[in-house]
Amino acid sequence: MNENKNRHTVWLTDEAWSKVKDHYRTDNCSTQNEYIEKAIQFYSGYLDTEQADSYLPRVLSAVLEGKLSALGSRIGKPLFKLSVDDAVMAHLIAAIADVDLDTLKKMRVRCIKDVKETNGEVNFEDAYKFQKRLD
């Protein structure tokens, strides 16, 4: 706390003063004045954050932007590689498969349904059984 202290007269209710007496030692304050000063600093800080519309959003925005950017890189790079591999497989299968466009459209509808129902966890074995009608 600041050593340059001045004397001030403060009027408190008996209830408020009783709370100061009951709690200043709990807060490891050596005097009741120290407790009151800390309480004023705490409450003032609370009010300042309520009105810190310009400061707090900038700080939170910077922190979140950094975290989300790192997360985007960690997720984005593997997703790009996965998409490239998926495109290669699609081209290879399209080159060797003898499937007409109508069947391909039906398969896409089936795949969308499977992905929605399994939350993206499509099992190759289940797809194989479906295609070979081994159910």
Side-chain angles (χ1 to χ4, degrees):
M1 298 281 169
N2 189 354
E3 296 302 319
N4 298 328
K5 294 184 178 186
N6 296 310
R7 183 179 182 94
H8 301 280
T9 302
V10 178
W11 292 84
L12 300 173
T13 63
D14 289 340
E15 180 185 354
W17 188 249
S18 176
K19 289 181 181 182
V20 170
K21 287 181 179 179
D22 292 342
H23 291 95
Y24 84 98
R25 286 190 183 104
T26 308
D27 192 40
N28 295 322
C29 294
S30 58
T31 65
Q32 294 169 356
N33 284 337
E34 181 184 357
Y35 179 80
I36 293 169
E37 189 168 347
K38 284 175 75 175
I40 291 169
Q41 295 296 340
F42 175 81
Y43 188 66
S44 295
Y46 166 76
L47 291 177
D48 289 344
T49 59
E50 289 277 310
Q51 299 166 353
D53 293 341
S54 60
Y55 171 73
L56 202 52
R58 278 188 287 124
V59 170
L60 286 174
S61 175
V63 169
L64 288 175
E65 196 172 310
K67 296 290 184 186
L68 289 175
S69 176
L71 179 64
S73 292
R74 288 179 56 195
I75 292 174
K77 289 176 183 176
L79 277 177
F80 179 79
K81 290 177 180 179
L82 187 61
S83 295
V84 170
D85 286 344
D86 188 44
V88 169
M89 284 191 292
H91 281 276
L92 284 171
I93 292 170
I96 61 172
D98 185 25
V99 178
D100 61 87
L101 286 177
D102 189 46
T103 304
L104 183 61
K105 287 178 185 178
K106 288 178 184 174
M107 189 180 298
R108 176 173 289 282
V109 170
R110 170 68 188 200
C111 289
I112 290 170
K113 180 179 172 264
D114 286 348
V115 169
K116 284 181 179 179
E117 288 177 357
T118 63
N119 201 23
E121 296 181 21
V122 178
N123 184 317
F124 182 79
E125 186 176 336
D126 291 340
Y128 179 82
K129 287 177 182 177
F130 175 79
Q131 290 301 322
K132 301 299 181 183
R133 309 288 191 261
L134 300 174
D135 290 321

